[in-house]
Amino acid sequence: ECARIESGEKRVWHWKSNAPVDFNVHYHVGNDVFYPIKRDAVRGDGGTFSPNLAQDYCWMWTARDKAAKLEGRIAK
């Protein structure tokens, strides 16, 4: 899930999974990738994300088990 977030804006988010997944919020500058949030092998997380830098940010989940089921929400 990707969205443009301006400096000073925020997103409130939470999610959970029935199996461990790798999770991150990232953005790209040229060929470089930056990770303001990065977690490995977790079943859930949440919080408020309020970046200092306007960018296109992406919330990304990578399942370690193909049968992983995930649900959550990202809101303004």
Side-chain angles (χ1 to χ4, degrees):
E1 182 71 30
C2 298
R4 176 81 181 175
I5 304 177
E6 299 298 328
S7 177
E9 288 186 337
K10 69 178 180 178
R11 296 294 186 272
V12 178
W13 55 278
H14 63 88
W15 63 271
K16 64 181 179 177
S17 175
N18 67 342
V21 297
D22 295 339
F23 166 72
N24 69 71
V25 176
H26 70 274
Y27 65 94
H28 299 259
V29 176
N31 290 330
D32 296 324
V33 181
F34 298 90
Y35 298 91
I37 301 171
K38 189 171 185 179
R39 314 270 193 267
D40 292 329
V42 293
R43 292 180 180 255
D45 205 354
T48 301
F49 180 66
S50 183
N52 294 326
L53 183 64
Q55 287 288 341
D56 293 325
Y57 292 91
C58 296
W59 277 251
M60 184 175 187
W61 298 264
T62 305
R64 293 172 175 239
D65 178 353
K66 292 183 183 190
K69 195 178 211 183
L70 188 133
E71 59 183 54
R73 180 179 171 104
I74 303 167
K76 287 186 177 182

